[in-house]
Amino acid sequence: RSFCVDVPRSKRAARGGLRIAGGMTGGSAHRPETPTHTLETRQSFITRLTRKYFQGDVIPPTTKAQVLRAQKFSVFNHYFMTALVFVYASLIPLLLKEQQEWRELRAARRQLYGGCDWHDWKGSSASAIIVGILLSLCLLRLCIMSWDAQFYQFVVLLVTVEVLVFISVSMWWSVGVPALLVILASNLVNTVVSQAFWKMKFKITIDALQELVPPTKWDGRYDTTSVSVWDTWSHTFFEWFKLMGFRKTKSLPQLYEERCGIFSKRDEVIPHSTALKLAYEQALHPRRSIVEWQRIASETFGMICFGYWDGLLNMLISNITYAFAGLWVGKALYEKDVNNVVVECVVVSLLACLYFVSMRWTFSWLQEGLGVAVAEKEWLAHDVVRHRGEREEVTFDVLDNSKQSYSPTASARRNEREVHREAMTEEDMAFLEKGRLNLVQMWLCVATVADFIGETHLGRVFWNVSLECRSMIEALTYFEFKLYYHSKWEVVHKGTIIRMLELIMLVFMVCVHFGTFFDRGESPAAIGAFIGALCFMASMLRLSETIQYVFSILGRGKASMQRHTYVSEWIALMLMLVLFANVLIWLYLLPILKGWSLPVGCCQSPLNQASSQASARSPIPLSIKITTMITIEGGQGGVARPRRTPWHAARVHGPSGFAMRGFRCGSLYNLA
């Protein structure tokens, strides 16, 4: 994990004593087991502290802008839409099964489940005009709305437009793939609008940050008026000493400044509220020079429109993956098609596991990321709290620093022996987790979650905020954030593997589907090429992200660090997954779409070889020849029925396709 540098023992002692005064248990308190408990404790403490010095409360900017709340519901929406795409795709065969027009189509045409040919539009001109007028009114209202409007107004307009389009496509085109594409496009549009809206809300809140933390009017004086003739002996002597001038009322902050000993002499050169405002503005405008402290501008992301593309690409691939899985489930359930049923069950089961694993992973990091508001409040409270010791204590909380009594070093001093990892206690292991619930690390968690669910543009804003907060803390405090890119890798690496596995599953399903259920010349090459191009671009983006850690982690620091081994193994795994995905795209999907022989893994089934030899003896050219297989199916009288063989089962040089309808054999299975 990432840690801040250690601090002097005197400051930690002051922290423990002050926490006792604040109602906590000080240095002897047991560390909370969960991040939620830790954040709730810190939230309660800082709220009591700010209300002691200021009438009201300090409002964190992320709470005012509601970006964390929006991120939480965006995660809910992401998994809901993924499940909706899967369920609707699985119902498409059932919805189309009862339509007479669909039953009369050729087999290859039915495999398209409605297709994407706009010539199939059955609506009249009058209906198109009515729907066009309604859509134009909604879109016009959407265009003239300002960012000051409430979010529900955008939601109502977008939902109205999407429902109208969905109903129109379902009625006058098809309830199959066209309607499914409307759902996918609606999800992409909603993501773009949501990112733009909450980024603007965040920017507006940062511009008015000084209103959230106004300067306190408390001057440290207390009212000592007495309305009693005789209260107690101690109070009477107190009033007499005060009358004589021997006793002067002083506050705790004033007494704290009269301490004797060695303490920190760092003075605040800039208010924390101003520093946070400048850091956030710098994150929103990374190419400008706004802050006064030193920063690394080359590590920030530029706020360009390309930032939307990466997230939309990942979201589209994820949705298409679960849509294909849903089509396979519906095909097996409602069309009673048992071909490749074993492969379908395995793929759908793996995708279900990925779905729940990604959900658990996302919510675990989101839970830590929601603590950003607590850390912001602690940072801003520094300007309100007058007690210098309490201000130092709040700084410890912002950085999630721990006491020396929790460290393995303290155990080694007590036991007079070195503590190895195998001999560490629960307290020692808990110390290794400290330093994560700080402002920088929790912004990393929020950025990772946003990037994973497809909100890459908003995620890049949060990456920049994390970097600028790191520079701000290092400039205004005596701490530094160690191993920043190590922390980023720990947060990101599992999500990257999940997305790469989804991509491989999608390419595999497309290869099996187009290579099994379509004859030669009838496979939808345009759709396959579009999906293949998307997967290729996504794999290259994953590859570029992976290579970055070669320079940021493996190229820096000590090579003997244990994390270097994990990072190098992860990089090797990602390279293998990217290579496997491109093998599927270029050596299997492309030949299937173009009608070429597969260069690797040709099927060696004797039945296929017999078909190939028969095809070689036929005088009909292979480009137009269709071989008919006679299969005896069980039933009344054992009737012999002709069955068409897929195009790739009748080639001179041996078949090169996947599982044929009459038997089980496939080059992809042999390769696996």
Side-chain angles (χ1 to χ4, degrees):
R1 301 298 180 184
S2 301
F3 301 97
C4 295
V5 296
D6 204 0
V7 297
R9 185 182 182 89
S10 58
K11 295 183 178 63
R12 297 186 181 274
R15 172 181 166 86
L18 289 170
R19 183 56 66 94
I20 293 176
M24 304 300 291
T25 56
S28 60
H30 188 270
R31 183 183 183 275
E33 297 181 357
T34 61
T36 304
H37 187 202
T38 302
L39 295 173
E40 289 177 351
T41 303
R42 287 167 52 179
Q43 169 75 6
S44 175
F45 171 72
I46 194 61
T47 300
R48 292 197 306 268
L49 189 62
T50 53
R51 289 180 177 177
K52 183 173 69 172
Y53 291 99
F54 179 68
Q55 292 184 352
D57 203 354
V58 175
I59 308 299
T62 50
T63 301
K64 179 66 176 179
Q66 301 192 92
V67 291
L68 296 180
R69 187 175 291 113
Q71 198 64 41
K72 178 170 64 176
F73 284 96
S74 295
V75 172
F76 295 155
N77 176 74
H78 170 74
Y79 287 104
F80 170 77
M81 291 302 299
T82 302
L84 177 63
V85 167
F86 175 81
V87 172
Y88 185 82
S90 65
L91 294 177
I92 287 178
L94 177 63
L95 297 175
L96 294 175
K97 186 177 181 180
E98 303 300 328
Q99 296 184 5
Q100 182 66 27
E101 298 178 356
W102 185 75
R103 290 199 299 267
E104 294 176 355
L105 294 175
R106 294 182 296 112
R109 184 65 172 166
R110 288 199 300 268
Q111 298 300 332
L112 297 178
Y113 296 104
C116 298
D117 190 356
W118 63 272
H119 293 94
D120 296 337
W121 182 268
K122 300 181 292 292
S124 62
S125 57
S127 60
I129 292 175
I130 294 175
V131 174
I133 292 175
L134 295 176
L135 292 178
S136 300
L137 292 176
C138 295
L139 293 176
L140 180 62
R141 177 71 180 98
L142 184 63
C143 293
I144 63 177
M145 286 179 61
S146 64
W147 295 114
D148 295 332
Q150 297 299 323
F151 188 60
Y152 78 88
Q153 296 174 300
F154 289 90
V155 173
V156 170
L157 287 174
L158 288 175
V159 170
T160 303
V161 172
E162 293 160 3
V163 170
L164 284 175
V165 174
F166 181 81
I167 293 176
S168 303
V169 171
S170 301
M171 291 177 58
W172 297 314
W173 193 347
S174 173
V175 295
V177 172
L180 180 62
L181 292 178
V182 172
I183 298 177
L184 299 183
S186 301
N187 194 18
L188 298 180
V189 172
N190 294 341
T191 302
V192 172
V193 175
S194 175
Q195 291 183 79
F197 179 85
W198 293 114
K199 177 186 175 182
M200 188 57 60
K201 282 292 185 182
F202 188 57
K203 183 178 182 301
I204 294 174
T205 303
I206 296 307
D207 293 338
L209 182 61
Q210 298 296 336
E211 299 179 2
L212 302 178
V213 192
T216 177
K217 297 181 179 180
W218 181 80
D219 57 2
R221 293 179 294 181
Y222 294 92
D223 184 13
T224 58
T225 303
S226 178
V227 294
S228 176
V229 177
W230 182 271
D231 190 1
T232 59
W233 282 100
S234 59
H235 185 72
T236 303
F237 276 109
F238 171 80
E239 289 190 328
W240 183 81
F241 278 110
K242 186 172 179 61
L243 178 64
M244 295 293 104
F246 299 134
R247 183 66 59 84
K248 185 177 181 180
T249 303
K250 290 187 177 182
S251 63
L252 288 177
Q254 292 171 339
L255 294 175
Y256 191 81
E257 295 298 334
E258 297 181 5
R259 297 171 300 166
C260 299
I262 300 177
F263 303 97
S264 173
K265 68 174 184 178
R266 175 183 287 270
D267 296 325
E268 289 73 24
V269 296
I270 182 174
H272 279 205
S273 57
T274 304
L276 191 67
K277 179 177 183 296
L278 294 176
Y280 284 3
E281 288 180 348
Q282 185 68 72
L284 293 171
H285 307 284
R287 297 300 174 253
R288 301 180 186 177
S289 181
I290 299 177
V291 299
E292 301 176 356
W293 51 79
Q294 184 179 2
R295 53 184 291 267
I296 304 177
S298 60
E299 296 182 354
T300 57
F301 290 97
M303 295 294 101
I304 56 177
C305 295
F306 181 75
Y308 290 98
W309 163 249
D310 190 5
L312 296 181
L313 178 63
N314 293 331
M315 179 183 295
L316 185 59
I317 290 177
S318 178
N319 289 343
I320 294 177
T321 302
Y322 287 94
F324 251 101
L327 284 175
W328 275 14
V329 172
K331 189 177 184 64
L333 292 178
Y334 308 119
E335 296 182 8
K336 308 302 181 182
D337 192 340
V338 296
N339 294 315
N340 304 322
V341 65
V342 176
V343 179
E344 294 172 1
C345 292
V346 172
V347 171
V348 172
S349 301
L350 290 177
L351 282 177
C353 294
L354 281 179
Y355 181 83
F356 290 106
V357 169
S358 66
M359 183 182 296
R360 184 178 182 276
W361 174 84
T362 304
F363 280 109
S364 64
W365 288 121
L366 179 63
Q367 180 60 64
E368 292 194 10
L370 293 178
V372 166
V374 179
E376 283 180 337
K377 187 173 183 179
E378 292 167 343
W379 180 265
L380 295 174
H382 192 278
D383 296 343
V384 177
V385 176
R386 293 299 180 184
H387 198 300
R388 188 175 183 130
E390 290 175 330
R391 289 202 302 268
E392 292 182 355
E393 181 181 6
V394 169
T395 302
F396 286 129
D397 283 336
V398 173
L399 305 175
D400 192 29
N401 216 310
S402 61
K403 300 177 180 57
Q404 291 180 350
S405 58
Y406 289 151
S407 68
T409 306
S411 301
R413 290 198 305 268
R414 290 193 299 267
N415 301 328
E416 296 183 355
R417 63 180 177 84
E418 183 180 359
V419 180
H420 296 279
R421 186 179 181 87
E422 293 77 8
M424 286 185 180
T425 62
E426 294 183 0
E427 290 77 10
D428 297 334
M429 298 302 296
F431 174 82
L432 298 180
E433 300 293 327
K434 292 294 292 184
R436 289 175 50 186
L437 298 180
N438 57 67
L439 185 61
V440 180
Q441 178 78 11
M442 289 188 289
W443 270 120
L444 280 177
C445 298
V446 178
T448 301
V449 172
D451 183 75
F452 183 80
I453 64 175
E455 298 182 350
T456 308
H457 185 73
L458 202 58
R460 292 185 176 183
V461 174
F462 298 153
W463 290 124
N464 292 347
V465 171
S466 176
L467 280 168
E468 299 301 335
C469 287
R470 172 194 177 189
S471 302
M472 175 190 68
I473 291 174
E474 291 178 351
L476 271 66
T477 67
Y478 37 79
F479 294 92
E480 65 176 357
F481 196 96
K482 297 174 58 179
L483 307 178
Y484 177 80
Y485 285 100
H486 292 242
S487 296
K488 183 177 179 180
W489 175 83
E490 287 192 349
V491 179
V492 168
H493 73 282
K494 291 183 181 178
T496 306
I497 294 177
I498 291 173
R499 285 300 185 220
M500 199 63 213
L501 290 176
E502 288 181 350
L503 187 149
I504 292 176
M505 291 292 179
L506 175 59
V507 181
F508 177 82
M509 287 189 293
V510 172
C511 290
V512 174
H513 189 83
F514 289 170
T516 302
F517 299 109
F518 292 93
D519 294 331
R520 182 175 184 177
E522 294 183 346
S523 60
I527 299 177
F530 176 73
I531 296 176
L534 292 180
C535 294
F536 173 72
M537 289 185 289
S539 66
M540 292 298 101
L541 289 174
R542 299 285 83 79
L543 178 62
S544 63
E545 294 176 3
T546 302
I547 294 177
Q548 290 178 1
Y549 292 101
V550 176
F551 304 99
S552 60
I553 295 181
L554 299 184
R556 300 179 183 178
K558 299 179 180 179
S560 59
M561 293 181 62
Q562 188 175 15
R563 192 180 292 108
H564 278 220
T565 304
Y566 299 149
V567 174
S568 61
E569 292 174 353
W570 174 81
I571 292 175
L573 175 62
M574 287 298 301
L575 293 177
M576 184 185 67
L577 294 178
V578 171
L579 178 62
F580 185 66
N582 282 272
V583 166
L584 292 178
I585 294 172
W586 297 108
L587 300 185
Y588 289 91
L589 180 59
L590 181 60
I592 289 174
L593 298 178
K594 299 294 291 185
W596 301 336
S597 298
L598 298 182
V600 178
C602 294
C603 183
Q604 301 298 326
S605 171
L607 182 59
N608 286 349
Q609 296 297 326
S611 300
S612 301
Q613 295 171 4
S615 301
R617 293 192 298 268
S618 175
I620 304 176
L622 286 176
S623 59
I624 60 175
K625 178 167 61 74
I626 300 178
T627 304
T628 302
M629 295 174 56
I630 304 299
T631 59
I632 306 300
E633 296 185 357
Q636 295 181 357
V639 181
R641 301 177 182 176
R643 174 175 297 179
R644 296 180 64 195
T645 303
W647 64 268
H648 42 263
R651 304 186 68 90
V652 176
H653 301 292
S656 58
F658 296 135
M660 269 51 80
R661 290 179 182 144
F663 45 86
R664 293 274 184 267
C665 186
S667 57
L668 194 61
Y669 312 140
N670 297 339
L671 179 64

